[in-house]
Amino acid sequence: MSAPSPDRPADNPVTRGARSHHPGFAVAAVMVGTFLAAFDSRLFTVGLADLRGGFALGYDEGGWLSTAALAPQILIAPAVAWLATTFGVRRLLGVPSLVYAAISLLIPFVRHYELLVALHVARGLLLGVFVPATLLIILRNLSLQWWLPAIALYAFRSAFTLNSGAALGGYYVQTLGWQWMYWQDALVAPVMAVLVYVGVPRERVDRGLLVHADWGGMLLFGAGLTLIYVGLDQGNRLDWLESGTVVATLAGGAALIVAFWINELLHPEPWASAKVLMSRNILLMLGVTVLFTLTSVSNGLLVPNFLDVIGALRPEQTGDLLFGSVALPLVGFTVLAVFLLRRIDARIVLTLGLGAFALASLLATRLTGVWRLDDFVPLTLLQSAGHGLTFVAIIVIALSNANPKRATAFSAYIQVLRLGGAQIGLALMMTWLRIREQVHSHQLGQHVSDGEASVEQTVTALANRFAPFDAGSAHQRALGTLASLVKQQANVLAYIDGFQLCYWLALAALLLVAFMKAPPPGPLVPRRSLA
């Protein structure tokens, strides 16, 4: 094994870059790149049913297509910071964004399934570069005065696209055609390429990093996380441990992660040394990030799924609620976050954001089967405040407690939380809802047994309503209606349990915040917060 180069510490590569002479264009590139990636992922999730129809795919084929589109992001994202440090952000985003645009233009015309999957894999690999690379623009190429506004824009796009993607996807499907879920990227990606070439300075290739590259660590980490992602993504569809595919991917991914840790201990110049995580505040911050990701599922999954399953609303109808009461207010809450973070301790801002999520989840435990769009407005406004205050504060705390020159290694773990945490949250919540619905169905079913007077009266009343239309099947239709009412109520109770779980997760995150110490002095830390 080669020895570390004398001008570089052995724990991980140093992150540094030339300052941009056109920071406005660099910030615009940050916005375009992150919004493009976030919108694409959200549109694919929301519009999957329409995409299956457009490509004439079955349910299983659609499920694997979704995994093929999203899993490659996990494979490449942790290594993006190292690639940017080695090759420079311009090389990493310029030509790849044009290739991405070409693939997005081509996909709607493809009908061969294997080719369709291959193009989505390639597209996912390119998409996985955009978000972490644009974050690196902030850390490596912008002066310190631009950091907080640019970080706020970076954080803003996540919740904004999550809550406006349904409305945009509905507009494409209903008005322009499902193809525009891809073609929008063919228009936007070249714009990002232009902004990158104008706003990001040209940098030399770091040949020293190439010579001593920890290729094995990057491959083991990315491949291990990808296999775990595939297992989680397919878990609910294939019934978890009952599926050999799920067991194999989860076990194989775990084995590769263990091999990665061993590699990092033995390699003379590890790519993502765990030393960057060895501080109290960083470990607590990572725990808070995971809990925040799980808590925010109350907005990204529970609200739209309830309105879909119980309210029988299409995504574009739900999108009107999420856009009006989460996405738009998020603009003001993000500005408020920047204002507060320049003046008070980020831990206070983080507490306010998590408290908003906890209160929203607590309000949602009063859920009933008749709740529709307007009933969700108070809690979605609180969720908007939670998104706007929490995510920006988490990033500021992370950067305030980490050495920005070591952002290459630190970013690898942040990308794991950004992508992997969201998938873990979705998988766990979907499993929780399924189990709780089964439990409540069993418990309610015990009170709806044949022969009870109240049940007979309900069945008779329902049969009398159906009799004028079809007397012969009126009794069977009455029984079917009663069964559907029981199932609906079981689903409502399951969603209440889901919101209760999010409430306790938010309280757990607040407990971790209470143990955080004041950050060391730095450009993102107000002086008054150091006391």
Side-chain angles (χ1 to χ4, degrees), residues 39 43-44 76 118 123 143 170 172 191 253 317 329-330 352 490 494 515:
F39 265 123
L43 287 177
F44 199 94
I76 191 66
R123 190 169 180 264
S143 58
Y172 285 156
V191 175
Q317 295 172 299
L330 187 66
L352 293 174
F515 286 100

Side-chain angles (χ1 to χ4, degrees), residues 48-57 108 110-111 178-179:
L48 182 58
D50 295 295
L51 293 178
R52 288 204 311 265
F55 291 121
L57 302 178
V110 175
R111 290 299 179 269
W178 62 267
Q179 295 88 345

Side-chain angles (χ1 to χ4, degrees), residues 356-418:
F357 264 119
L359 182 56
S361 297
L362 189 61
L363 288 177
T365 58
R366 300 160 52 193
L367 194 67
T368 69
V370 298
W371 274 37
R372 293 299 180 265
L373 296 176
D374 292 343
D375 300 293
F376 282 95
V377 170
L379 70 93
T380 49
L381 285 171
L382 285 169
Q383 289 172 336
S384 180
H387 277 298
L389 299 176
T390 305
F391 197 12
V392 183
I394 285 176
I395 298 175
V396 168
I397 289 173
L399 295 177
S400 298
N401 288 278
N403 184 348
K405 293 183 179 181
R406 297 293 181 265
T408 298
F410 186 65
S411 178
Y413 296 99
I414 292 297
Q415 297 310 318
V416 173
L417 294 179
R418 180 182 69 86

